[in-house]
Amino acid sequence: MSATEHPNQFALLGQRRFAPFFWTQFLGAGNDNLFKFAFTVMVTYQLQVDWLRPEQAGLVIGAVFILPFLLFSATSGQLTDKHDKTSVIRFVKNLEIGIMLLAALGFLTTNVVVLLACVFLMGLHSTLFGPVKFAYMPQHLNERELTGGNGMVEMGTFVAILLGQVAGGLLIALPGVGATYVAIGCVAAALLGRLTAQFVPSTPATDPTLKINWNPVTETLRNLKLAHGNIVVFRSLLGISWMWFFGAVFLSNFPVFAKNVLHGDEHVASLLLVVFSVGIGIGSLLCEVLSKRHVEIGLVPAGAIGMSVFAIDLYFASRGLPAGPVLTVGQFMAEAAHWRVMADLGLLSLFAGMYSVPMYALIQLRSEPSHRARVIAANNILNALFMIVSSVAAGAMLGFGFTVPEVFLATGIANAVVAGYIFLLVPEYLLRFVAFLTTRLVYRFKVRGDENIPTEGAAILVCNHVSFVDAIVLMAASPRPIRFIMDHRIFQIPVLGTLFRLAKAIPIASQKEDPAAYARAFEAADKVLAEGDLLCIFPEGGITRDGELQAFKGGIMKILERRPVPVVPVALQNLWGSFFSRVENGTAMIRPFRRGVWSPVGVVAGEAVPAAKVSPDHLRTRVQALLQA
């Protein structure tokens, strides 16, 4: 089914390729948290266990749950690549039923050892499901749907976590029958999840001949090496793991933050969790709207900026709150100062959702299908390690006398430093951010025919040349990176030259001016196509000085002689007359608002032309027709 057949990501919930999978993962996440939270409340408030003190219960349960991620993620990635993913999903849901039956016995007999064992087993359950969760979607959703699908899953996961914790807390607190109701709820959720899993469509193995390596240490190293094979993917894994580090600092400190800083009761801590979860959900869903249904990694720097800004402001909003009696939720919300705290918390989590969803989609899109699940398994390992380091670091800071707001401040500052470092290592994020800002804030941007730009394989884009920001506008329209051949003189322009160097644009001079540079440009262009990437050229040879489409030169034929690939004609509409065009007597960038603010511009891509049918005149005719479309 094409992406144009449904209006937004919510329509996926009406389709069999997505809906059963969504509800299966939703029920699994909810059941997991219903069980863990009910168990945590039980050992914290209702039981006296000598070897598990109430103040340690949450940390111990969290550590036991994370342990399987470190031990078995490597194996789970292999199993997902080797077997039909739907079969793996159903196996995991069968396992969940068994675990929940054992947990029900533990709740009914108040056996803490059995329940701790079930925490470990549910960690194993999540470890097995993790690679399937993200490897399933690229086999059923196309590139235009991947961001929306990830946004739905991310939103669904956090809503399920929230509902599971609320249900677990409410059920276990029921006098006399709480444990019984929790047991029934856990088993019922597991059975319902198995029912929805039965409707998940077949998802063939991507590497059925894979030989399983059962050694978790050597396989973990091998998975990390696989991920490192694509440096953009690997550094995106690190970026996601950092987000989990960041989020874990806040989530783990909500109870003490609510009690010691905000002077609220335990329901205020729950309110903070609700605000955080809702923020993540909204941010995740916004990604499809803001990205115009592509994998838009330009949202990642925007997310990182928001995370830091509101984490730092949370420190200033909470550091001076006066001490007083313990506040109920109603009393807490009656104070105007507390609304700023909730706004900061909601907005930092909203931006965290915007930060993570495009990264997940990028990893799914750029990873080799044959070992995609193992790359995701490597991500789960890194996530677990970062979360452990997060707990240790936050605990150490608190142990050395830092307040919780000061821990939040340090985390916000560290996020700015880490994010800046990642974006310098992977400039594609920064470039897409600039393109995103330019096309969303400077111009009113519309793209048509972008389905004609191939999402994989080598191809050449040929486009009219209207302004100094043509390349930036085309970056925003394309679902994947583009390498541009550009006049060497543009690299001398401040700011723009730096951006184009980061984009690895290929400088070219005329053969008469610099024969060596001319030859190097064609060698570099051929290498781009040989590696299966997109190349863009402006066949007019320079920026128009009168707004008219100039004659196309023959460089395109020289490229195709060496490597025949499809050629996609593209037209830039309405950029003539803008600040960056040469409308002022052949000079650009003189009057910033000569067309006002947010003026409309467009990109139209036509159907690809086979290499055998390409000629400069034919391409010019096609681009001219697109300009008038």
Side-chain angles (χ1 to χ4, degrees):
M1 178 176 292
S2 72
T4 57
E5 289 181 339
H6 61 83
N8 57 49
Q9 65 237 62
F10 290 100
L12 290 171
L13 291 176
Q15 300 175 21
R16 190 186 167 198
R17 61 192 174 126
F18 184 80
F21 162 76
F22 173 85
W23 292 116
T24 299
Q25 68 84 31
F26 181 91
L27 287 164
N31 199 21
D32 175 29
N33 283 274
L34 187 160
F35 161 66
K36 283 192 302 179
F37 198 74
F39 178 36
T40 303
V41 171
M42 175 186 276
V43 296
T44 302
Y45 292 101
Q46 299 178 4
L47 299 179
Q48 296 296 323
V49 183
D50 293 337
W51 50 272
L52 186 60
R53 298 199 305 272
E55 61 270 21
Q56 295 178 325
L59 290 174
V60 171
I61 291 170
V64 171
F65 184 79
I66 287 175
L67 184 58
F69 284 90
L70 297 175
L71 296 177
F72 304 117
S73 282
T75 305
S76 70
Q78 294 178 88
L79 293 171
T80 300
D81 278 333
K82 183 176 178 63
H83 298 289
D84 182 289
K85 292 172 183 58
T86 303
S87 299
V88 175
I89 289 172
R90 291 171 184 165
F91 169 79
V92 171
K93 302 314 286 186
N94 289 336
L95 178 63
E96 183 182 344
I97 293 171
I99 296 169
M100 288 298 99
L101 286 171
L102 183 60
L105 178 64
F107 277 116
L108 294 174
T109 60
T110 61
N111 191 318
V112 175
V113 173
V114 169
L115 290 171
L116 265 180
C118 289
V119 170
F120 180 86
L121 290 172
M122 282 304 287
L124 174 62
H125 158 276
S126 297
T127 301
L128 292 172
F129 192 77
V132 182
K133 178 178 174 180
F134 290 105
Y136 172 90
M137 284 188 284
Q139 288 185 245
H140 291 274
L141 305 182
N142 62 40
E143 185 273 336
R144 291 171 62 85
E145 299 168 314
L146 208 49
T147 294
N150 274 281
M152 289 294 292
V153 168
E154 193 86 347
M155 176 275 298
T157 298
F158 275 89
V159 170
I161 290 171
L162 176 62
L163 293 177
Q165 293 193 353
V166 170
L170 291 175
L171 290 175
I172 198 65
L174 293 173
V177 294
T180 302
Y181 281 12
V182 169
I184 294 171
C186 288
V187 174
L191 289 170
L192 190 56
R194 178 61 183 86
L195 178 64
T196 59
Q198 194 61 36
F199 297 96
V200 175
S202 177
T203 312
T206 51
D207 192 359
T209 61
L210 176 67
K211 184 177 179 181
I212 302 294
N213 174 16
W214 297 100
N215 185 321
V217 177
T218 58
E219 186 59 26
T220 294
L221 294 174
R222 190 163 72 176
N223 283 1
L224 292 172
K225 187 176 180 181
L226 274 175
H228 197 269
N230 184 322
I231 200 65
V232 172
V233 168
F234 182 72
R235 287 170 177 165
S236 297
L237 297 183
L238 294 177
I240 287 174
S241 296
W242 171 256
M243 192 275 292
W244 282 102
F245 178 106
F246 179 92
V249 170
F250 290 89
L251 288 169
S252 62
N253 283 288
F254 279 165
V256 67
F257 181 60
K259 180 180 179 182
N260 296 341
V261 179
L262 303 180
H263 312 295
D265 61 16
E266 62 273 18
H267 298 298
V268 172
S270 298
L271 175 64
L272 299 183
L273 177 64
V274 170
V275 171
F276 190 88
S277 299
V278 170
I280 286 278
I282 293 173
S284 300
L285 294 177
L286 278 175
C287 287
E288 187 190 54
V289 177
L290 294 173
S291 66
K292 297 187 183 294
R293 310 197 58 203
H294 278 304
V295 177
E296 179 51 81
I297 61 174
L299 292 174
V300 176
I305 291 168
M307 288 161 66
S308 283
V309 167
F310 292 107
I312 292 169
D313 192 65
L314 183 59
Y315 161 76
F316 291 106
S318 60
R319 63 172 180 163
L321 294 175
V326 176
L327 303 175
T328 64
V329 169
Q331 293 168 333
F332 174 79
M333 295 183 68
E335 296 287 339
H338 296 155
W339 283 91
R340 179 180 171 188
V341 170
M342 289 192 292
D344 283 333
L345 197 56
L347 287 168
L348 77 85
S349 60
L350 181 149
F351 280 102
M354 287 175 53
Y355 172 94
S356 63
V357 167
M359 275 195 170
Y360 275 120
L362 180 73
I363 290 167
Q364 292 165 329
L365 196 63
R366 301 278 182 90
S367 298
E368 287 294 329
S370 61
H371 54 256
R372 184 184 285 130
R374 279 167 283 172
V375 170
I376 293 165
N379 180 52
N380 290 340
I381 295 165
L382 290 171
N383 289 350
L385 289 172
F386 273 63
M387 289 172 71
I388 291 168
V389 172
S390 168
S391 298
V392 171
M397 289 185 69
L398 293 171
F400 280 113
F402 285 83
T403 65
V404 174
E406 287 170 344
V407 171
F408 291 168
L409 174 65
T411 304
I413 294 171
N415 181 69
V417 173
V418 171
Y421 180 65
I422 290 173
F423 302 145
L424 288 176
L425 288 177
V426 190
E428 187 181 340
Y429 283 109
L430 189 60
L431 291 166
R432 293 295 294 238
F433 179 55
V434 172
F436 177 81
L437 290 180
T438 302
T439 54
R440 303 309 196 274
L441 300 182
V442 178
Y443 297 118
R444 190 161 70 252
F445 187 52
K446 184 176 182 180
V447 182
R448 290 181 290 153
D450 50 329
E451 66 275 8
N452 293 317
I453 301 175
T455 56
E456 58 184 20
I460 301 173
L461 308 182
V462 294
C463 187
N464 57 318
H465 207 358
V466 190
S467 76
F468 285 96
V469 294
D470 291 351
I472 292 173
V473 173
L474 288 169
M475 283 182 204
S478 173
R480 54 192 282 218
I482 305 173
R483 294 284 301 278
F484 295 89
I485 298 181
M486 306 183 75
D487 190 305
H488 68 104
R489 287 167 292 192
I490 203 168
F491 292 87
Q492 300 168 11
I493 298 175
V495 182
L496 287 177
T498 302
L499 287 174
F500 295 140
R501 276 189 287 272
L502 284 173
K504 298 180 181 178
I506 301 166
I508 190 169
S510 68
Q511 191 169 20
K512 183 177 181 181
E513 180 183 0
D514 190 338
Y518 180 81
R520 283 196 302 271
F522 284 99
E523 288 290 340
D526 187 66
K527 185 178 178 183
V528 168
L529 297 174
E531 292 173 352
D533 294 329
L534 278 183
L535 178 73
C536 180
I537 66 171
F538 300 101
E540 295 167 276
I543 297 174
T544 180
R545 292 178 178 272
D546 58 9
E548 297 298 319
L549 187 65
Q550 310 301 308
F552 279 18
K553 297 184 177 180
I556 180 69
M557 304 309 297
K558 186 177 178 69
I559 295 172
L560 292 175
E561 283 173 10
R562 300 183 63 168
R563 197 167 301 275
V565 297
V567 179
V568 180
V570 180
L572 291 167
Q573 298 178 325
N574 300 325
L575 268 172
W576 175 252
S578 70
F579 172 64
F580 295 102
S581 66
R582 285 176 160 162
V583 69
E584 301 283 350
N585 298 317
T587 305
M589 295 179 278
I590 292 179
R591 293 168 56 196
F593 300 106
R594 66 179 315 278
R595 289 204 326 191
V597 179
W598 217 42
S599 59
V601 301
V603 174
V604 185
E607 293 184 5
V609 180
K613 295 184 178 180
V614 168
S615 71
D617 288 342
H618 177 62
L619 290 176
R620 185 184 182 281
T621 301
R622 292 287 300 275
V623 172
Q624 184 71 63
L626 292 173
L627 281 170
Q628 297 166 355

